[in-house]
Amino acid sequence: MSVEPDPVNAEPLDVQQLRGDFPVLQQPMNGHRLAFLDSAASAQKPQAVIDAERGCYERYYANIHRGVYQLSQQSTQAYEGVREIVRQFLNADSEREVVFVRGATEAINLVAQSFVRPMLGPGDEVLITGMEHHANIVPWQMITEVTGARLVVAPVLDDGQLDMDALRERISDRTRFISVVHVSNTLGTINPVEAITALARERGIPVLVDGAQSAPHMTVDMQALGADFYCFSAHKTYGPSGAGVLWGRLEHLEAMPPYQGGGDMIRTVTFEKTEYAEPPQRFEAGTPNIAGVIALGAGLEYMMGIGRNRILDHEVGLLEYANEAIKEINGLRVIGTAPDKAGVISFVMDHAHPHDIGTILDMEGVAVRAGHHCTQPLMQRFGVPATVRASFGLYNDRADVDQLVAGLRKVNELFG
Ligand code: PLP
């Protein structure tokens, strides 16, 4: 089965029109037009997402599942209906493979605790890469520590590409699981995840792909990816915070114990014994983020309505423009220059600290992130404490890049 929900449309995005969908972008910032260049941390929300969340609370909110009255049935239908939207978005086999979670962090912890931890023993290995977000490091440290297993790390090359030769060498007969980021939030590197899942499959090793930075920017297809698990956070796919998705192959989900116990994840409970519900409900204990999940669906529909290939083309075009434009800034060094990159530019400057750069840019109306981006080991790899990161979303345009470059010139005037 192959579903391609995005329209087949090669027209470039009409960014001016799309910007109009985002109320927050309409305001000035410190006396300037707002150039929002921090979508890798969290994307802004289109009116359709705001309306979906608000509409739920205004018109039909009630707790979901088992309610016999109409509001509860309406809420349940809207919440459960999002599984099909996610299934389409991911081109997954079944809605039953779609688990709603709080975000990518919770998804990875769920897989670590429920799927991987029970299979680890002393000397076993979990393989990750040197460019992981802390969310894809710490959960593995937690379970390798208690089981006597080892965390093995595939290194990153100087240009920010994953060292695939080293990764291949580090897969051993003790490797029990591989967890790898699809797109680096700090470097923008797009990793060859399909090649990694192919390597893993030959050896029968399951793989999780952290899609927190791929789902917002490109078509992701669970049939083609070859992974066992994939996850993302709604707040980066133009949806609300506090909602996200874990996709897992049904045979794994069916074999996994629950992550948390409580209401809504059971079939029957007695004091002697509890029978768990089937997946995905087995992994959704307690009252979920009902309106948030409904708005998550609206965000994905918004992206699919525009067309994810067009979004990617637009953002990569903007990256090329920005790469050229920042060449004229003296003393600026880009960290992460892999040939296959999403719309993220991390950089340092000779005479100014990233936090000072971020503050000066803010005064110019430019919102960027300065810091370690939850990738401290990667910062150590490149010998910097922090970088400035500008990241693009579908609503960014060349004017945003021009404003960034003008701001950086000002930094050099003040510090250079
Ligand atoms: N993985 C990557 C690559 C990320 O960029 C992020 C967030 O920045 C996460 C995981 C964690 O996402 P969240 O904080 O939404 O759970």
Side-chain angles (χ1 to χ4, degrees):
M1 177 181 39
S2 177
V3 177
E4 178 47 82
D6 305 60
V8 181
N9 177 352
E11 290 286 302
L13 298 190
D14 182 347
V15 178
Q16 287 328 303
Q17 191 202 328
L18 290 173
R19 283 177 76 86
D21 294 341
F22 292 82
V24 81
L25 297 180
Q26 311 311 315
Q27 66 189 309
M29 189 53 61
N30 293 322
H32 297 268
R33 170 186 176 276
L34 170 61
F36 184 78
L37 295 172
D38 195 22
S39 298
S42 207
Q44 296 298 348
K45 318 305 170 198
Q47 193 63 51
V49 166
I50 299 166
D51 288 348
E53 179 139 2
R54 186 182 170 143
C56 168
Y57 287 125
E58 279 183 352
R59 294 199 309 275
Y60 61 89
Y61 178 79
N63 209 335
I64 54 170
H65 300 149
R66 298 175 313 281
V68 292
Y69 57 94
Q70 187 170 333
L71 287 182
S72 176
Q73 287 174 3
Q74 248 176 296
S75 268
T76 303
Q77 234 169 34
Y79 176 90
E80 288 299 330
V82 178
R83 284 193 221 275
E84 170 56 21
I85 299 171
V86 176
R87 191 201 64 71
Q88 279 185 28
F89 185 82
L90 297 177
N91 192 21
D93 267 339
S94 160
E95 290 174 27
R96 294 190 54 216
E97 298 181 327
V98 174
V99 181
F100 293 125
V101 288
R102 278 193 299 132
T105 302
E106 189 176 46
I108 297 169
N109 277 278
L110 192 167
V111 174
Q113 295 294 341
S114 288
F115 184 74
V116 185
R117 181 177 169 161
M119 66 165 85
L120 291 183
D124 286 338
E125 294 171 357
V126 173
L127 178 61
I128 61 170
T129 81
M131 66 176 90
E132 300 306 328
H133 186 281
H134 296 164
N136 202 22
I137 301 173
V138 183
W140 307 115
Q141 285 174 330
M142 289 165 63
I143 62 165
T144 48
E145 264 169 30
V146 292
T147 55
R150 243 165 39 92
L151 188 63
V152 177
V153 182
V156 177
L157 297 170
D158 287 344
D159 68 355
Q161 287 189 80
L162 184 58
D163 185 339
M164 281 298 284
D165 291 334
L167 180 132
R168 213 170 282 119
E169 280 164 19
R170 284 171 205 210
I171 299 178
S172 78
D173 55 7
R174 300 309 301 267
T175 309
R176 296 285 173 261
F177 196 77
I178 299 175
S179 194
V180 56
V181 71
H182 195 171
V183 175
S184 160
N185 62 309
T186 299
L187 305 170
T189 309
I190 302 176
N191 283 319
V193 280
E194 290 175 19
I196 296 169
T197 59
L199 277 175
R201 229 182 0 262
E202 283 168 18
R203 295 161 177 80
I205 304 166
V207 179
L208 180 146
V209 172
D210 171 0
Q213 298 290 344
S214 56
H217 305 291
M218 58 189 69
T219 307
V220 280
D221 180 343
M222 295 306 108
Q223 311 296 323
L225 197 65
D228 296 84
F229 299 95
Y230 178 89
C231 61
F232 66 92
S233 297
H235 68 92
K236 296 185 204 280
T237 54
Y238 304 97
S241 47
V245 168
L246 168 68
W247 169 84
R249 290 191 184 280
L250 194 55
E251 74 254 31
H252 294 323
L253 296 178
E254 280 175 338
M256 284 160 62
Y259 175 48
Q260 295 180 326
D264 231 22
M265 50 74 74
I266 54 91
R267 192 178 293 144
T268 58
V269 178
T270 64
F271 284 120
E272 289 69 41
K273 184 175 165 49
T274 291
E275 276 181 40
Y276 305 127
E278 294 295 317
Q281 280 73 27
R282 185 186 301 170
F283 303 103
E284 295 179 13
T287 301
N289 183 357
I290 300 164
V293 165
I294 291 165
L296 174 158
L300 302 187
E301 284 186 318
Y302 181 78
M303 288 184 68
M304 291 191 282
I306 293 167
R308 286 172 286 172
N309 291 338
R310 296 170 75 209
I311 295 173
L312 182 65
D313 285 351
H314 168 69
E315 292 173 357
V316 169
L318 211 50
L319 177 69
E320 282 163 12
Y321 178 78
N323 276 335
E324 277 308 305
I326 57 172
K327 277 185 188 157
E328 66 172 79
I329 304 294
N330 287 333
L332 182 148
R333 179 163 64 95
V334 174
I335 311 272
T337 52
D340 210 5
K341 267 189 71 165
V344 172
I345 304 185
S346 263
F347 59 89
V348 290
M349 292 173 80
D350 281 347
H351 304 293
H353 189 278
H355 287 116
D356 294 328
I357 300 169
T359 305
I360 292 164
L361 290 176
D362 181 42
M363 297 318 295
E364 301 298 310
V366 181
V368 293
R369 190 138 295 242
H372 53 62
H373 319 297
C374 294
T375 53
Q376 282 184 347
L378 189 63
M379 295 290 110
Q380 282 154 19
R381 158 69 180 84
F382 284 97
V384 292
T387 71
V388 181
R389 182 186 69 187
S391 56
F392 304 129
L394 61 90
Y395 36 62
N396 290 118
D397 59 8
R398 290 185 173 199
D400 294 325
V401 175
D402 295 343
Q403 213 172 314
L404 168 70
V405 171
L408 294 175
R409 264 194 229 109
K410 205 154 238 173
V411 171
N412 267 348
E413 278 164 31
L414 290 168
F415 287 89

